[in-house]
Amino acid sequence: MASTLCCRASLLVSSNATRRRFQLLASFPTLSSSSSYLKMGCVQPLPFVRLLRSKFSTRAPDKTVPVVKMEASSNTVPSIVVYVTVPNRDAGRKLADSIVKEKLAACVNIVPGVVSVYEWEGKVNRDPEELLIIKTRQSLLPALTEHVKANHEYDVPEVIALPIGGGSAEFLEWLKNSTRE
């Protein structure tokens, strides 16, 4: 069936309009390899097959960006991303500045325009907030949590940590060098 579909699509691909309609349909049998494409009886290779292979290939790209897994490098440390919400811009800036100044994090992004919907004291609330995205060492989470609690105006501030499994070696090394031990 795949070879029939491929060959029929090749025959129908005579005008640009038709070619656009059948591009993806005709390319599915050719994604695995060029030799299987020829085995299916198609005479001419479709011009976009190389592009599709480059987009969907599981092979490593020719030029690689240095990426490191957290446990594999001595130049990095286990790292995390921490989410903290704040009620407004001033509170966010003040908290972000103090976190970076104390070297509890290498970087804090302040994302405005967040709306949080949550239940508190039996009532559903919807409040505008800002989100702090904090990049730091995993070992600093207890100190960071205490710092947020001591400098936040909420009774129960959000402090949620997610592990960083890997990433740009240069960034992760900078994160290590920009935070205290």
Side-chain angles (χ1 to χ4, degrees):
M1 180 174 155
S3 62
T4 306
L5 177 62
C6 178
C7 290
R8 283 188 184 165
S10 295
L11 294 174
L12 292 172
V13 180
S14 57
S15 71
N16 283 341
T18 307
R19 185 173 292 127
R20 273 187 243 112
R21 279 191 213 109
F22 286 102
Q23 258 183 347
L24 288 176
L25 184 63
S27 67
F28 285 130
T30 67
L31 289 176
S32 58
S33 72
S34 59
S35 61
S36 65
Y37 178 77
L38 295 174
K39 287 177 191 174
M40 285 190 254
C42 294
V43 178
Q44 298 176 339
L46 299 173
F48 51 83
V49 170
R50 180 181 294 156
L51 174 64
L52 286 172
R53 280 199 192 106
S54 68
K55 295 269 187 212
F56 300 107
S57 176
T58 57
R59 288 180 277 171
D62 295 335
K63 295 181 180 179
T64 59
V65 176
V67 174
V68 65
K69 290 185 179 179
M70 292 309 299
E71 64 275 1
S73 174
S74 61
N75 294 331
T76 64
V77 293
S79 301
I80 56 176
V81 173
V82 180
Y83 290 165
V84 174
T85 51
V86 293
N88 56 54
R89 179 178 298 198
D90 290 337
R93 287 181 177 174
K94 183 178 175 184
L95 187 56
D97 288 349
S98 68
I99 289 169
V100 172
K101 183 178 178 184
E102 294 293 321
K103 294 201 173 283
L104 291 169
C107 176
V108 179
N109 302 114
I110 302 173
V111 182
V114 174
V115 176
S116 294
V117 180
Y118 59 97
E119 185 178 337
W120 184 254
E121 297 177 346
K123 180 182 169 192
V124 175
N125 297 279
R126 184 177 310 147
D127 292 322
E129 293 184 303
E130 296 205 354
L131 175 65
L132 304 183
I133 303 173
I134 304 165
K135 278 77 75 181
T136 189
R137 296 172 181 234
Q138 184 177 347
S139 62
L140 291 175
L141 181 59
L144 175 63
T145 301
E146 288 306 313
H147 182 85
V148 170
K149 286 180 178 179
N151 294 285
H152 205 290
E153 56 188 76
Y154 291 167
D155 293 338
V156 182
E158 172 186 1
V159 179
I160 297 175
L162 304 170
I164 298 174
S168 160
E170 293 84 5
F171 181 84
L172 294 171
E173 187 174 349
W174 171 79
L175 186 152
K176 175 187 172 185
N177 295 332
S178 299
T179 53
R180 67 183 184 194
E181 297 197 26

